[in-house]
Amino acid sequence: MNYKKNDSITITIEDMGHGGEGIGKIDGFPFFVKDAVIGDTIEAKVIKAKKNYAYARLMRLLQPSPHRVEPRCPYARQCGGCQIQALSYEQQLKFKENKVRNNLMRIGGYSEVPIEEVIGMEEPYFYRNKAQFPVGKDKDGNIIAGFYASRTHTIINNRKCFLGAEINEIILDKIIAYMTEWNVEPYDEVTGKGLVRHVLIRYGFQSGEIMVCLIVNGETLPKSEKLVESLRELEGMTSISLNVNKKRTNVILGEEIKVLWGQAYITDSIGDVKFQISPLSFYQVNPVQTKRLYERALAYAQLTGSETVWDLYCGIGTISLFLAQKAKQVYGVEIVPQAIEDARTNARLNGIENAAFYVGKAEEVLPEKYEKDGIYADVIVVDPPRKGCEESLLRTMVDMKPKRIVYVSCDSATLARDVKWLGENGYEMERVTVVDQFGMTVHVETAVLLVRKP
Ligand code: SAH
């Protein structure tokens, strides 16, 4: 069957794609439909037809899915932040679990996946500790802040994001009131003129500390004392700063931070481990679920206090410091030098002395240390970016013969690929847990335990 633009179709949505789009088939031919959820029967209109699949637009809900819910956020359909708010949270978790299971079967080659109960959030809203709001003007010249509409740079004027901390809205109101009163212009991407580009807010859910950083196309902020005065009224305000970014780019943050008031950082904790967080540092956005994910990784590592552990792709050392409490020695490896500096600071802050950190590519540092220094590991933990591990790294890991490998992943397709390779080279997948760190979005985290075959 050949489909073409503007064809009308009726389909039932049976699956969801990477971007959260609904997928339905007619005689095996798949259609991708944004905003349609699993279980919907819909009327849709073809917007782009390819040889083996087509994109269609949701025109009418003929039979809404029993899993369909009314999104809390009125902008859920336009905004690029969430993809699956219209799906019940229970079903979101099922979707994520299925996705991981299917990848481990299809790509990983396992006929049965030892998957444990998914770890969902108690409150799948208001969980993010970090938000970056672009600032601009609407067509009437009013200053607005919010989020980019999906795949565009059009700002949706929305200061109440249901994923972020509830304080964000109050902070943005204060900043816009200050800008309006003192004629501080928002930055205009088209002309490159204007001052305030973005507002970065970080909130320590455990500590209650707040950081506000204005990203500006300049060196100073006029009447900044007025803004400081207003923001300081908020309980927990700890750090107010400027970040200088005069480049005409989509990269949000520049390199230089100027403190306007308070400290250059806030402190927050995951479990018993404290972290110092500056505007530029990486920090997990959902510390509640991160704690659960890392507790699971720790359980999988089965540490007794006598083990040597390598934590590859360690970032600011979140997992390393977590593991160090139960291991003899932990070594972390990370490519970003600033993150390693943060990791060392955080180790000191917590009085942790059995964690050491190396800057470099995991696939270079580990083989070098193994070949030159003959390093050893009882357990290796990896938490790579989406593209997963280089095969050469997996090779070194296997050569080092750790008893256990704990693989933490944010992309279950590359996880499955690597688990397959490890399976063929002596490591059996024994346990799998899916942890939801990002409710309302399609992202999913997984922890896997691989054990060396006798
Ligand atoms: N566990 C960390 C985050 C891991 S995210 C934490 O909680 O902080 C993946 C990390 O891998 C990022 O910090 C990224 O900078 C780093 N990275 C990317 N490629 C790498 C490579 N080839 N070698 C080492 N680290 C790498």
Side-chain angles (χ1 to χ4, degrees), residues 282-284 290 294 311-320 333-336 339 360-364 383-385 387 390 410:
F282 172 84
Y283 184 60
Q284 294 282 350
T290 297
Y294 291 176
D311 175 20
L312 309 177
Y313 311 89
C314 70
I316 59 163
T318 329
I319 299 182
S320 317
V333 183
E334 159 65 43
I335 199 169
V336 176
K361 289 187 180 169
E363 62 274 20
E364 287 173 7
D383 183 6
K387 69 176 169 54
E390 298 273 320
C410 57

Side-chain angles (χ1 to χ4, degrees), residues 375-392:
I375 53 152
Y376 168 86
D378 294 291
V379 179
I380 297 180
V381 178
V382 296
D383 183 6
R386 307 201 72 119
K387 69 176 169 54
C389 300
E390 298 273 320
E391 196 176 304
S392 64

Side-chain angles (χ1 to χ4, degrees), residues 279-305:
L280 294 171
S281 20
F282 172 84
Y283 184 60
Q284 294 282 350
V285 296
N286 180 345
V288 174
Q289 290 300 97
T290 297
K291 176 168 177 276
R292 292 181 168 153
L293 175 67
Y294 291 176
E295 272 166 358
R296 189 52 63 96
L298 185 62
Y300 283 2
Q302 296 166 47
L303 302 179
T304 62

Side-chain angles (χ1 to χ4, degrees), residues 63-254:
Q63 175 84 53
S65 165
H67 310 304
R68 188 173 258 286
V69 294
E70 186 62 39
R72 281 209 213 169
C73 173
Y75 303 101
R77 240 184 120 161
Q78 291 144 271
C79 177
C82 294
Q83 300 91 38
I84 51 175
Q85 254 197 61
L87 191 62
S88 73
Y89 186 59
E90 204 190 339
Q91 205 60 30
Q92 291 182 23
L93 292 179
K94 282 215 176 105
F95 161 70
K96 293 183 185 193
E97 190 184 321
N98 281 337
K99 182 162 152 179
V100 173
R101 186 188 286 105
N102 288 341
N103 279 336
L104 287 169
M105 289 172 81
R106 215 165 34 80
I107 305 170
Y110 277 81
S111 53
E112 252 176 73
V113 177
I115 202 161
E116 306 187 54
E117 196 183 336
V118 54
I119 303 182
M121 296 182 207
E122 263 116 55
E123 163 63 305
Y125 293 95
F126 305 114
Y127 60 82
R128 284 186 62 100
N129 59 14
K130 173 184 166 183
Q132 299 179 121
F133 298 88
V135 183
K137 276 189 178 172
D138 67 11
K139 56 182 189 326
D140 302 321
N142 302 309
I143 299 173
I144 57 170
F147 289 92
Y148 291 128
S150 183
R151 295 197 191 89
T152 74
H153 269 209
T154 310
I155 300 172
I156 298 170
N157 185 21
N158 174 25
R159 303 169 209 174
K160 185 185 174 73
C161 167
F162 282 82
L163 301 196
E166 292 184 272
I167 193 84
N168 292 349
E169 188 181 6
I170 300 168
I171 294 170
L172 289 175
D173 286 349
K174 282 178 172 284
I175 293 173
I176 289 177
Y178 147 82
M179 288 176 69
T180 307
E181 182 171 358
W182 301 101
N183 295 316
V184 180
E185 287 290 308
Y187 177 72
D188 181 333
E189 276 187 336
V190 180
T191 62
K193 299 221 168 70
L195 192 59
V196 180
R197 301 171 72 124
H198 273 83
V199 175
L200 164 69
I201 304 172
R202 283 183 131 152
Y203 178 66
F205 281 103
Q206 300 301 319
S207 64
E209 295 183 3
I210 305 168
M211 162 185 290
V212 177
C213 177
L214 271 65
I215 295 103
V216 291
N217 174 40
E219 299 285 339
T220 54
L221 193 66
K223 298 275 181 198
S224 63
E225 70 282 2
K226 299 290 179 193
L227 177 66
V228 166
E229 195 180 292
S230 164
L231 289 175
R232 274 182 62 187
E233 287 168 4
L234 297 174
E235 198 188 323
M237 190 57 64
T238 304
S239 171
I240 305 174
S241 64
L242 294 183
N243 173 273
V244 179
N245 182 1
K246 294 193 275 192
K247 295 201 182 125
R248 289 188 76 168
T249 121
N250 283 341
V251 178
I252 296 178
L253 289 163

